[in-house]
């Protein structure tokens, strides 16, 4: 086979031999580029992108971890009265009329507020959470008059 190829190549003119050599050199360059250089550069590019994404995710995770640690260090004082009494007092202080309040054990209550403006209600809930009373469930319904009704189940943090 190689002997036939040499015989065929020897039968070409000098100009054809030069063109064939240039063609083979270009073919080798294209094959090296397509088989080696292109996959390696694509792999490096994708590795750089994955690395940058991983660095960003790590920084975000570390920031969230610091936020959680800060929250854990800022534990509110334990509630001294019953949760039911605390919720009733805080609702009265905020001006919310409780339609119902039912205790579900010592550490959980369910309340219903028939009518409240959303902004003050959610501000009140945020105040409860900063005091260590967490929202276990919250269902709101639009009353159609710029107020909402809410059914909220609250519990003591850590319970």
């Amino acid at each position: 086979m190689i002997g036939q190829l040499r015989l065929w190549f020897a039968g070409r003119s000098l100009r054809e031999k030069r063109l064939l050599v240039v063609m083979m050199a270009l073919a080798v360059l294209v094959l090296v580029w397509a088989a080696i250089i292109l996959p390696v550069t694509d792999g490096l590019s994708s590795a750089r992108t994955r690395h940058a994404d991983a660095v960003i995710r790590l920084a975000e995770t570390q920031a969230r971890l610091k936020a959680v640690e800060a929250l854990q260090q800022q534990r509110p004082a334990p509630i001294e009265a019953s949760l039911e009494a605390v919720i009733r007092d805080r609702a009265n202080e905020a001006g919310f009329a409780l339609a119902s309040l039912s205790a579900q054990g010592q550490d959980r209550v369910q309340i219903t507020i028939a009518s409240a403006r959303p902004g003050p209600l959610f501000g009140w809930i945020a105040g409860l959470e900063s005091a260590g009373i967490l929202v276990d469930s919250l269902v709101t319904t639009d009353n159609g008059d710029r107020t909402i009704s809410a059914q909220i189940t609250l519990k003591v943090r850590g319970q």
Side-chain angles (χ1 to χ4, degrees):
M1 172 82 180
I2 293 183
Q4 291 175 343
L5 194 57
R6 285 185 188 190
L7 186 61
W8 174 81
F9 187 74
R12 303 287 133 213
S13 68
L14 181 60
R15 181 175 178 208
E16 288 177 336
K17 287 179 183 178
R18 287 180 182 163
L19 285 174
L20 287 171
V21 168
V22 169
M23 180 187 72
M24 287 298 180
L26 289 174
V28 167
L29 283 174
V30 168
L31 285 174
V32 166
W33 176 78
I36 298 172
I37 295 173
L38 187 61
V40 168
T41 56
D42 286 348
L44 287 173
S45 173
S46 119
R48 285 185 189 113
T49 302
R50 286 192 321 268
H51 178 264
D53 291 343
V55 167
I56 290 169
R57 281 193 315 269
L58 175 64
E60 289 172 349
T61 303
Q62 287 173 337
R64 288 179 184 157
L65 178 63
K66 286 181 182 177
V68 168
E69 288 172 347
L71 284 175
Q72 288 176 339
Q73 291 175 356
Q74 299 172 357
R75 287 199 177 264
I79 298 172
E80 295 181 12
S82 71
L83 182 59
E84 187 176 347
V86 170
I87 296 298
R88 182 175 286 118
D89 291 343
R90 287 184 176 244
N92 287 336
E93 289 171 6
F96 296 118
L98 297 178
S100 70
L101 186 142
S102 60
Q104 298 177 337
Q106 291 181 340
D107 62 342
R108 189 179 303 261
V109 295
Q110 183 172 13
I111 63 171
T112 303
I113 299 175
S115 179
R117 298 201 44 156
L121 176 65
F122 290 117
W124 178 69
I125 291 171
L128 290 176
E129 287 184 339
S130 66
I133 301 169
L134 303 178
V135 175
D136 195 34
S137 70
L138 170 67
V139 178
T140 61
T141 307
D142 184 14
N143 290 337
D145 59 352
R146 293 185 159 180
T147 63
I148 59 174
S149 62
Q151 288 186 324
I152 310 168
T153 303
L154 300 163
K155 67 179 184 176
V156 177
R157 181 182 297 193
Q159 302 285 326

